[in-house]
Amino acid sequence: MAFFGKVMKIETLAKLFPIKKGISENASDLNFENEGRPFHIAKNELTQREISLFNDVLFQAPKFDFSHLSHGTYRVIQFKSQNFSEIAENLSLIFPGIVRVKQISSTYGIAIEKMSAERLSEGEIKQVLGTLTQDLGVKCEYYLGLFADQTELSTLYPTEQNNFDQGLSFSESLIKAGLAQVTSPPLTKIKQGLLTDIEAQDLITQLYQHDGNQLKTAKAMYIHRNTLTQKIKKFERQYGLTLSGSDLVLLYSLI
């Protein structure tokens, strides 16, 4: 942690601000590290000016240094969960190539996996993580990064972190970036319609998150399967696109 080019000792800051040791369980608090040790500050004990100072100058998002890793191919797996510590304890069972797990805030952490022949496919990982979180009784979101050479991780990770924050996969981020450059009257009309159609947005999101599985989608939306079918037919008549395959990916990228 640096301030105007000089290393700030935590003892000095503690005399000026209500700094406490450890990671806060309150997601709204400011969590940070100093010399490898976790600390936090409750936002409700700071003025808006002080909060801006901490966010913009003192505790900017950490830039991870992956240079300590041995030469090889790795990926960064990101997790969001109120129970990250419980998830972390079981990660080695799912990802045999895990070389490091790091909790960054009370609800966010990463795992670094080295490529190995024993790694699971993405579909298998999704099933295993689903079973694990169900058994533990916790909720968890995750983002599987791309495997890359150790020297490329420092550049790749911030992009993947931004994708995760926006709820986008690698492919979806590319589609969304491409769509921003497209000028198409039909596409513009669909996008404008979806902008105020909250019911359609929810329908698209639920179907996409459940891989187009209508039974799981209906269950998640707490409606009967027949009701979901009617909603899908109504949507497709209105927008002229199907809620499956590439159309579903396109629609999800528009909302």
Side-chain angles (χ1 to χ4, degrees), residues 73 94-97 113-121 124 147:
T73 303
I94 305 171
F95 305 96
E113 179 189 16
K114 188 170 186 178
M115 180 179 281
S116 67
E118 294 77 25
R119 70 184 186 279
L120 300 176
S121 68
E124 291 171 329
F147 279 106

Side-chain angles (χ1 to χ4, degrees), residues 88-104:
E89 291 177 4
N90 295 274
L91 288 181
S92 60
L93 300 175
I94 305 171
F95 305 96
I98 290 290
V99 297
R100 187 181 181 192
V101 177
K102 181 176 179 61
Q103 183 162 357
I104 297 167

Side-chain angles (χ1 to χ4, degrees), residues 217-230:
T217 300
K219 186 176 180 180
M221 296 179 70
Y222 301 101
I223 59 177
H224 193 275
R225 173 73 177 274
N226 292 340
T227 303
L228 176 63
T229 301
Q230 293 303 315

